[in-house]
Amino acid sequence: MISTTANAPLLHFSTSHVPEADRIGIWREVYGQMILRLDVEPLSERPFEADVHLRALPGLALVSGSISGARDRRTTALLSDGIDDLGLAVHWGGCNIVSQRGRETKLGEGEAVILSCGDSATVIRALPCRYLGVRIPRTALLALAPHAEDRIGMPIVRANPVLELLKGYVAVLLADGNATYELGRLASDHVYELVALLLRGDTMDNPTVADRGGVRAARLRAIKADILKHLGNRELTINALASRHSVTPRYIQRLFENDGHSYTEFVLEQRLAHAHRFLCDPCYANRSVSTIAFEAGFGDLSYFNRAFRRRYGMTPSDVRRQARSRQ
């Protein structure tokens, strides 16, 4: 089964390059039996397709992707491996029916459910189903959410701010395969905390919840992603970000200060890096320096030139000439 004792590189499994006749056999043996300890059965009425990414962090296993035309079962025979972790399955789209402990749940888009690796279970994905999975040692989760087992098999509705933060944070962890063991351990603790908050039903309106390490880390990741998405918008302001993320401007400032820099410094650094990449890219050789500066979000060309030279020790034109000489 996928190890959760240390950091592991991101694994990618896909049936796209496997002959259709061989897909289910390979998938059952490698992905089902060896990695997730599941029995995988094809659904005869649907072709089997799968494309998933997996990653292990200390005490945490993550999986994200899409599967269709399969029935996954945690059978009585497989339970003999002694693995009793608890898992959160988040449904992003398609058809997903989950059965465990006498409960059958058809998950709607954006909903989630807690499952137990220590009990028999069945997951049916007839149509293409996009999902995210988080697996946590049972003792670790129960220490934070003692009544977690009472929620097994019960859907968690999508209109939940904690769930949205968790999904965004896990997506970043799956994309970043370079964390050290210490950072991986910290990220695992953050995920534990977010899942526990979700199961306890704590609301984001509670100031003590907003100041928890997992919530702060997930919010900072979400806000940074929002900044990068709108980097070229010169109307990007801390007030606009605060409104979109339902927090105060001062809360955002504290998040960045705790991360070792200010909000303004982060935005400036990202805009300068964006401009530097474009100046070095031959695909943008026909764009003027001023156009690149404006597209990176700078409204004042003189300020851009000064800030750029301070950061890189050269003018934008010097960087472009140097990049051309290397081609």
Side-chain angles (χ1 to χ4, degrees), residues 175-186:
D176 179 12
N178 299 315
T180 63
Y181 179 88
E182 290 73 18
L183 290 176
R185 178 69 264 178
L186 182 60

Side-chain angles (χ1 to χ4, degrees), residues 272 275-277 279-280 289 301-326:
L272 289 172
H276 189 276
R277 285 194 299 273
L279 288 166
C280 294
V289 170
L301 188 58
S302 296
Y303 172 69
F304 165 71
N305 285 323
R306 291 196 303 273
F308 192 95
R309 186 162 192 167
R310 250 191 333 265
R311 171 63 180 84
Y312 294 105
M314 292 186 290
T315 67
S317 297
D318 289 339
V319 167
R320 170 166 275 177
R321 277 193 295 269
Q322 186 180 79
R324 284 174 176 168
S325 69
R326 293 173 179 169

Side-chain angles (χ1 to χ4, degrees), residues 208 269 325:
T208 60
E269 175 65 22
S325 69

Side-chain angles (χ1 to χ4, degrees), residues 200-217:
R200 293 203 305 263
D202 293 350
T203 67
M204 301 296 291
D205 298 331
N206 187 333
T208 60
V209 172
D211 279 333
R212 291 182 181 274
V215 173
R216 290 199 310 270

Side-chain angles (χ1 to χ4, degrees), residues 74 79 83-86 100-101 116-120 138:
R74 180 79 168 144
L79 295 179
I83 296 168
D84 68 345
D85 296 342
L86 293 176
Q100 188 167 61
R101 292 190 176 181
S116 167
C117 294
D119 295 89
S120 299
R138 183 181 296 256

Side-chain angles (χ1 to χ4, degrees), residues 75-118:
T75 64
T76 302
L78 289 172
L79 295 179
S80 63
D81 58 21
I83 296 168
D84 68 345
D85 296 342
L86 293 176
L88 177 73
V90 184
H91 180 59
W92 278 345
C95 182
N96 193 347
I97 300 174
V98 177
S99 301
Q100 188 167 61
R101 292 190 176 181
R103 293 171 176 158
E104 181 174 285
T105 304
K106 184 175 182 179
L107 292 179
E109 185 174 345
E111 292 183 337
V113 65
I114 284 287
L115 298 173
S116 167
C117 294

Side-chain angles (χ1 to χ4, degrees), residues 25-302:
I26 294 174
W27 196 260
R28 177 188 287 127
E29 181 65 26
V30 177
Y31 180 82
Q33 296 291 323
M34 296 175 60
I35 297 178
L36 291 188
R37 300 291 294 155
L38 297 170
D39 183 47
V40 182
E41 301 174 343
L43 299 177
S44 58
E45 67 273 18
R46 295 286 176 181
F48 176 70
E49 296 179 343
D51 190 299
V52 299
H53 291 82
L54 302 99
R55 188 175 180 211
L57 294 172
L60 182 68
L62 308 172
V63 57
S64 177
S66 64
I67 294 180
S68 65
R71 178 189 291 107
D72 295 344
R73 294 190 304 138
R74 180 79 168 144
T75 64
T76 302
L78 289 172
L79 295 179
S80 63
D81 58 21
I83 296 168
D84 68 345
D85 296 342
L86 293 176
L88 177 73
V90 184
H91 180 59
W92 278 345
C95 182
N96 193 347
I97 300 174
V98 177
S99 301
Q100 188 167 61
R101 292 190 176 181
R103 293 171 176 158
E104 181 174 285
T105 304
K106 184 175 182 179
L107 292 179
E109 185 174 345
E111 292 183 337
V113 65
I114 284 287
L115 298 173
S116 167
C117 294
D119 295 89
S120 299
T122 301
V123 179
I124 299 174
R125 302 182 180 96
L127 300 175
C129 169
R130 293 179 295 110
Y131 70 101
L132 176 75
V134 175
R135 205 189 81 219
I136 299 173
R138 183 181 296 256
T139 53
L141 187 54
L142 291 181
L144 298 172
H147 302 293
E149 293 207 50
D150 297 339
R151 301 293 303 277
I152 290 174
M154 298 177 62
I156 300 169
V157 297
R158 64 179 297 178
N160 189 309
V162 177
L163 181 58
E164 292 304 309
L165 280 179
L166 176 65
K167 289 192 294 185
Y169 190 63
V170 170
V172 171
L173 294 180
L174 277 165
D176 179 12
N178 299 315
T180 63
Y181 179 88
E182 290 73 18
L183 290 176
R185 178 69 264 178
L186 182 60
S188 296
D189 289 343
H190 290 158
V191 173
Y192 291 1
E193 191 171 84
L194 289 168
V195 174
L197 290 173
L198 186 64
L199 296 178
R200 293 203 305 263
D202 293 350
T203 67
M204 301 296 291
D205 298 331
N206 187 333
T208 60
V209 172
D211 279 333
R212 291 182 181 274
V215 173
R216 290 199 310 270
R219 269 188 164 153
L220 180 60
R221 297 265 189 171
I223 288 169
K224 284 183 175 181
D226 194 344
I227 290 170
L228 294 177
K229 181 179 178 180
H230 297 94
L231 203 57
N233 183 357
R234 290 189 290 278
E235 300 302 318
L236 175 67
T237 66
I238 195 169
N239 288 331
L241 282 169
S243 177
R244 283 201 292 273
H245 293 268
S246 301
V247 296
T248 65
R250 181 55 192 147
Y251 182 84
I252 292 179
Q253 289 172 336
R254 289 203 309 271
L255 288 178
F256 279 95
E257 288 166 3
N258 291 335
D259 197 44
H261 45 250
S262 70
Y263 161 79
T264 302
E265 289 169 345
F266 178 80
V267 174
L268 176 59
E269 175 65 22
Q270 296 306 313
R271 283 177 166 165
L272 289 172
H274 179 88
H276 189 276
R277 285 194 299 273
F278 275 46
L279 288 166
C280 294
D281 191 333
C283 295
Y284 298 92
N286 293 329
R287 295 194 187 182
S288 66
V289 170
S290 60
T291 298
I292 288 175
F294 293 143
E295 289 178 347
F298 291 94
D300 185 323
L301 188 58
S302 296

